[in-house]
PDB file of all heavy atoms in Angstrom:
ATOM      1  N   PHE A  72      10.269   1.225  -2.246  1.00 91.00           N
ATOM      2  CA  PHE A  72       9.701   1.125  -0.909  1.00 91.00           C
ATOM      3  C   PHE A  72       8.180   1.212  -0.965  1.00 91.00           C
ATOM      4  O   PHE A  72       7.476   0.496  -0.247  1.00 91.00           O
ATOM      5  CB  PHE A  72      10.268   2.215   0.001  1.00 91.00           C
ATOM      6  CG  PHE A  72       9.677   2.185   1.375  1.00 91.00           C
ATOM      7  CD1 PHE A  72       9.975   1.156   2.247  1.00 91.00           C
ATOM      8  CD2 PHE A  72       8.798   3.169   1.790  1.00 91.00           C
ATOM      9  CE1 PHE A  72       9.417   1.108   3.518  1.00 91.00           C
ATOM     10  CE2 PHE A  72       8.235   3.138   3.053  1.00 91.00           C
ATOM     11  CZ  PHE A  72       8.544   2.101   3.918  1.00 91.00           C
ATOM     12  N   LEU A  73       7.655   2.074  -1.826  1.00 92.00           N
ATOM     13  CA  LEU A  73       6.204   2.207  -1.959  1.00 92.00           C
ATOM     14  C   LEU A  73       5.574   0.906  -2.448  1.00 92.00           C
ATOM     15  O   LEU A  73       4.463   0.557  -2.042  1.00 92.00           O
ATOM     16  CB  LEU A  73       5.864   3.371  -2.883  1.00 92.00           C
ATOM     17  CG  LEU A  73       6.280   4.746  -2.350  1.00 92.00           C
ATOM     18  CD1 LEU A  73       5.993   5.828  -3.381  1.00 92.00           C
ATOM     19  CD2 LEU A  73       5.604   5.054  -1.024  1.00 92.00           C
ATOM     20  N   VAL A  74       6.284   0.177  -3.272  1.00 93.00           N
ATOM     21  CA  VAL A  74       5.820  -1.150  -3.706  1.00 93.00           C
ATOM     22  C   VAL A  74       5.660  -2.043  -2.476  1.00 93.00           C
ATOM     23  O   VAL A  74       4.648  -2.736  -2.325  1.00 93.00           O
ATOM     24  CB  VAL A  74       6.803  -1.772  -4.724  1.00 93.00           C
ATOM     25  CG1 VAL A  74       6.529  -3.242  -4.932  1.00 93.00           C
ATOM     26  CG2 VAL A  74       6.747  -1.016  -6.041  1.00 93.00           C
ATOM     27  N   SER A  75       6.639  -2.011  -1.589  1.00 93.00           N
ATOM     28  CA  SER A  75       6.576  -2.872  -0.405  1.00 93.00           C
ATOM     29  C   SER A  75       5.442  -2.458   0.533  1.00 93.00           C
ATOM     30  O   SER A  75       4.862  -3.305   1.211  1.00 93.00           O
ATOM     31  CB  SER A  75       7.917  -2.881   0.331  1.00 93.00           C
ATOM     32  OG  SER A  75       8.173  -1.639   0.945  1.00 93.00           O
ATOM     33  N   VAL A  76       5.112  -1.173   0.556  1.00 95.00           N
ATOM     34  CA  VAL A  76       3.981  -0.716   1.373  1.00 95.00           C
ATOM     35  C   VAL A  76       2.689  -1.346   0.870  1.00 95.00           C
ATOM     36  O   VAL A  76       1.893  -1.889   1.652  1.00 95.00           O
ATOM     37  CB  VAL A  76       3.874   0.824   1.363  1.00 95.00           C
ATOM     38  CG1 VAL A  76       2.566   1.288   1.995  1.00 95.00           C
ATOM     39  CG2 VAL A  76       5.064   1.451   2.067  1.00 95.00           C
ATOM     40  N   LEU A  77       2.473  -1.301  -0.444  1.00 96.00           N
ATOM     41  CA  LEU A  77       1.259  -1.894  -0.998  1.00 96.00           C
ATOM     42  C   LEU A  77       1.265  -3.411  -0.852  1.00 96.00           C
ATOM     43  O   LEU A  77       0.224  -4.012  -0.565  1.00 96.00           O
ATOM     44  CB  LEU A  77       1.067  -1.479  -2.454  1.00 96.00           C
ATOM     45  CG  LEU A  77       0.720  -0.008  -2.649  1.00 96.00           C
ATOM     46  CD1 LEU A  77       0.579   0.316  -4.126  1.00 96.00           C
ATOM     47  CD2 LEU A  77      -0.541   0.371  -1.891  1.00 96.00           C
ATOM     48  N   ASP A  78       2.420  -4.038  -1.041  1.00 95.00           N
ATOM     49  CA  ASP A  78       2.503  -5.487  -0.833  1.00 95.00           C
ATOM     50  C   ASP A  78       2.093  -5.849   0.590  1.00 95.00           C
ATOM     51  O   ASP A  78       1.365  -6.814   0.816  1.00 95.00           O
ATOM     52  CB  ASP A  78       3.915  -6.004  -1.120  1.00 95.00           C
ATOM     53  CG  ASP A  78       4.234  -6.088  -2.597  1.00 95.00           C
ATOM     54  OD1 ASP A  78       3.295  -6.061  -3.424  1.00 95.00           O
ATOM     55  OD2 ASP A  78       5.434  -6.169  -2.931  1.00 95.00           O
ATOM     56  N   PHE A  79       2.561  -5.074   1.551  1.00 96.00           N
ATOM     57  CA  PHE A  79       2.212  -5.315   2.951  1.00 96.00           C
ATOM     58  C   PHE A  79       0.717  -5.132   3.167  1.00 96.00           C
ATOM     59  O   PHE A  79       0.056  -5.993   3.752  1.00 96.00           O
ATOM     60  CB  PHE A  79       3.002  -4.371   3.865  1.00 96.00           C
ATOM     61  CG  PHE A  79       2.639  -4.507   5.314  1.00 96.00           C
ATOM     62  CD1 PHE A  79       3.176  -5.520   6.092  1.00 96.00           C
ATOM     63  CD2 PHE A  79       1.746  -3.630   5.914  1.00 96.00           C
ATOM     64  CE1 PHE A  79       2.834  -5.661   7.431  1.00 96.00           C
ATOM     65  CE2 PHE A  79       1.395  -3.750   7.251  1.00 96.00           C
ATOM     66  CZ  PHE A  79       1.939  -4.773   8.008  1.00 96.00           C
ATOM     67  N   LEU A  80       0.173  -4.030   2.705  1.00 97.00           N
ATOM     68  CA  LEU A  80      -1.250  -3.748   2.885  1.00 97.00           C
ATOM     69  C   LEU A  80      -2.103  -4.871   2.297  1.00 97.00           C
ATOM     70  O   LEU A  80      -3.081  -5.301   2.909  1.00 97.00           O
ATOM     71  CB  LEU A  80      -1.613  -2.418   2.222  1.00 97.00           C
ATOM     72  CG  LEU A  80      -3.075  -1.999   2.321  1.00 97.00           C
ATOM     73  CD1 LEU A  80      -3.400  -1.564   3.747  1.00 97.00           C
ATOM     74  CD2 LEU A  80      -3.382  -0.885   1.340  1.00 97.00           C
ATOM     75  N   LEU A  81      -1.710  -5.364   1.141  1.00 96.00           N
ATOM     76  CA  LEU A  81      -2.490  -6.376   0.436  1.00 96.00           C
ATOM     77  C   LEU A  81      -2.403  -7.766   1.067  1.00 96.00           C
ATOM     78  O   LEU A  81      -3.115  -8.672   0.650  1.00 96.00           O
ATOM     79  CB  LEU A  81      -2.069  -6.429  -1.034  1.00 96.00           C
ATOM     80  CG  LEU A  81      -2.478  -5.193  -1.844  1.00 96.00           C
ATOM     81  CD1 LEU A  81      -1.722  -5.153  -3.165  1.00 96.00           C
ATOM     82  CD2 LEU A  81      -3.979  -5.159  -2.054  1.00 96.00           C
ATOM     83  N   MET A  82      -1.574  -7.923   2.092  1.00 96.00           N
ATOM     84  CA  MET A  82      -1.452  -9.220   2.757  1.00 96.00           C
ATOM     85  C   MET A  82      -2.678  -9.590   3.575  1.00 96.00           C
ATOM     86  O   MET A  82      -2.890 -10.762   3.883  1.00 96.00           O
ATOM     87  CB  MET A  82      -0.217  -9.236   3.676  1.00 96.00           C
ATOM     88  CG  MET A  82       1.066  -9.288   2.929  1.00 96.00           C
ATOM     89  SD  MET A  82       2.598  -9.270   3.937  1.00 96.00           S
ATOM     90  CE  MET A  82       2.121  -9.589   5.589  1.00 96.00           C
ATOM     91  N   ASP A  83      -3.501  -8.606   3.942  1.00 96.00           N
ATOM     92  CA  ASP A  83      -4.635  -8.890   4.817  1.00 96.00           C
ATOM     93  C   ASP A  83      -5.851  -8.102   4.347  1.00 96.00           C
ATOM     94  O   ASP A  83      -5.799  -6.869   4.258  1.00 96.00           O
ATOM     95  CB  ASP A  83      -4.273  -8.499   6.253  1.00 96.00           C
ATOM     96  CG  ASP A  83      -5.270  -8.993   7.274  1.00 96.00           C
ATOM     97  OD1 ASP A  83      -6.478  -8.774   7.087  1.00 96.00           O
ATOM     98  OD2 ASP A  83      -4.836  -9.585   8.273  1.00 96.00           O
ATOM     99  N   ASP A  84      -6.936  -8.815   4.063  1.00 97.00           N
ATOM    100  CA  ASP A  84      -8.157  -8.152   3.604  1.00 97.00           C
ATOM    101  C   ASP A  84      -8.654  -7.114   4.603  1.00 97.00           C
ATOM    102  O   ASP A  84      -9.176  -6.071   4.208  1.00 97.00           O
ATOM    103  CB  ASP A  84      -9.265  -9.175   3.339  1.00 97.00           C
ATOM    104  CG  ASP A  84      -9.010 -10.030   2.111  1.00 97.00           C
ATOM    105  OD1 ASP A  84      -8.141  -9.664   1.288  1.00 97.00           O
ATOM    106  OD2 ASP A  84      -9.691 -11.063   1.966  1.00 97.00           O
ATOM    107  N   ALA A  85      -8.496  -7.380   5.889  1.00 97.00           N
ATOM    108  CA  ALA A  85      -8.953  -6.435   6.899  1.00 97.00           C
ATOM    109  C   ALA A  85      -8.185  -5.117   6.798  1.00 97.00           C
ATOM    110  O   ALA A  85      -8.760  -4.036   7.032  1.00 97.00           O
ATOM    111  CB  ALA A  85      -8.808  -7.027   8.303  1.00 97.00           C
ATOM    112  N   TRP A  86      -6.903  -5.181   6.462  1.00 98.00           N
ATOM    113  CA  TRP A  86      -6.106  -3.967   6.304  1.00 98.00           C
ATOM    114  C   TRP A  86      -6.574  -3.193   5.078  1.00 98.00           C
ATOM    115  O   TRP A  86      -6.683  -1.970   5.118  1.00 98.00           O
ATOM    116  CB  TRP A  86      -4.625  -4.286   6.195  1.00 98.00           C
ATOM    117  CG  TRP A  86      -4.056  -5.000   7.377  1.00 98.00           C
ATOM    118  CD1 TRP A  86      -4.602  -5.103   8.633  1.00 98.00           C
ATOM    119  CD2 TRP A  86      -2.839  -5.730   7.418  1.00 98.00           C
ATOM    120  NE1 TRP A  86      -3.775  -5.845   9.441  1.00 98.00           N
ATOM    121  CE2 TRP A  86      -2.690  -6.252   8.729  1.00 98.00           C
ATOM    122  CE3 TRP A  86      -1.856  -6.011   6.489  1.00 98.00           C
ATOM    123  CZ2 TRP A  86      -1.595  -7.010   9.115  1.00 98.00           C
ATOM    124  CZ3 TRP A  86      -0.756  -6.767   6.869  1.00 98.00           C
ATOM    125  CH2 TRP A  86      -0.636  -7.259   8.170  1.00 98.00           C
TER     126      TRP A  86
END
Side-chain angles (χ1 to χ4, degrees):
F72 178 70
L73 295 176
V74 167
S75 70
V76 170
L77 291 179
D78 285 343
F79 177 81
L80 180 72
L81 290 165
M82 288 179 14
D83 191 310
D84 289 345
W86 300 343

